C-alpha cells in the first residue's frame, strides 16, 4: 500500500512539473496605439432604418507582432460618426513583413437621414463616406 501511494504521488508530481514547464503560445500585448485606416468598403450607400450593414476597414501592419485591437466609434451628432482604429503590438518573436488586416463595424441606424462617417487616415486626414437611410 505504501509503495502504491509513493508511485501515485510520483506520477502526480511529474505531471505537475511537465504542465508547469509548457511553453505558452500567447504573447503579451506591449502597447496599443492608433493605426491609420487605409481604405473603407461600404456595400450599400442606401439602406433601410433598423437594418444592419457591415462596414469594412483595411489597415496595414508593419510586422506579424501587430494586429487589430479595436475601434473608437464616436457619435459626433445624431447623423455623424468618427471612427479611429487601434492596433496592438506584442513582445514575441515575429516576422517583419507587412500585412493588411480587414475588420468591420456593424451599422444599424435607428432614424432616417444621411449619415456621414469619418475614418481616421493619419494626422489630420480622414476618409469620408455617406450612407442614406430611408
Amino acid at each position: 500500500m505504501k509503495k502504491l501511494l509513493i508511485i501515485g504521488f510520483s506520477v502526480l508530481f511529474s505531471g505537475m512539473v511537465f504542465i508547469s514547464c509548457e511553453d505558452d503560445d500567447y504573447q503579451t500585448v506591449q502597447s496599443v496605439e492608433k493605426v491609420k485606416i487605409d481604405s473603407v468598403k461600404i456595400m450599400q450607400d442606401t439602406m433601410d432604418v433598423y437594418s444592419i450593414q457591415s462596414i469594412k476597414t483595411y489597415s496595414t501592419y508593419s510586422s506579424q507582432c501587430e494586429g487589430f485591437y479595436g475601434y473608437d466609434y464616436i457619435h459626433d451628432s445624431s447623423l455623424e460618426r468618427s471612427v479611429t482604429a487601434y492596433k496592438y503590438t506584442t513582445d514575441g518573436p515575429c516576422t517583419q513583413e507587412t500585412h493588411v488586416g480587414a475588420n468591420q463595424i456593424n451599422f444599424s441606424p435607428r432614424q432616417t437621414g444621411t449619415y456621414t462617417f469619418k475614418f481616421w487616415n493619419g494626422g489630420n486626414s480622414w476618409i469620408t463616406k455617406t450612407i442614406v437611410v430611408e
Side-chain angles (χ1 to χ4, degrees):
M1 181 69 172
K2 185 176 180 183
K3 192 174 189 181
L4 186 59
L5 194 58
I6 291 173
I7 292 172
F9 279 123
S10 296
V11 170
L12 182 64
F13 179 73
S14 297
M16 289 175 31
V17 168
F18 286 121
I19 290 172
S20 66
C21 292
E22 281 185 22
D23 185 26
D24 294 330
D25 289 337
Y26 68 91
Q27 299 168 354
T28 304
V29 172
Q30 293 298 306
S31 65
V32 174
E33 60 188 271
K34 287 182 180 181
V35 62
K36 74 179 196 161
I37 296 172
D38 299 321
S39 63
V40 178
K41 186 174 185 179
I42 295 177
M43 299 304 283
Q44 302 172 4
D45 59 357
T46 303
M47 61 187 287
D48 294 326
V49 70
Y50 296 111
S51 61
I52 299 172
Q53 177 176 194
S54 295
I55 300 171
K56 289 193 174 187
T57 65
Y58 301 87
S59 297
T60 302
Y61 304 95
S62 60
S63 78
Q64 296 299 320
C65 282
E66 295 180 347
F68 178 74
Y69 184 77
Y71 289 113
D72 192 4
Y73 184 88
I74 299 173
H75 293 244
D76 295 322
S77 70
S78 62
L79 298 176
E80 294 180 4
R81 308 289 187 265
S82 296
V83 180
T84 304
Y86 288 85
K87 68 177 180 177
Y88 65 83
T89 304
T90 61
D91 63 351
C94 22
T95 58
Q96 296 299 314
E97 60 187 44
T98 61
H99 64 98
V100 175
N103 297 286
Q104 71 181 28
I105 299 168
N106 291 327
F107 175 57
S108 180
R110 302 290 180 226
Q111 70 182 50
T112 59
T114 302
Y115 286 78
T116 302
F117 288 85
K118 296 186 310 181
F119 299 89
W120 188 73
N121 186 245
N124 292 326
S125 180
W126 298 82
I127 299 170
T128 303
K129 300 285 185 177
T130 58
I131 298 175
V132 176
V133 177
E134 300 173 337

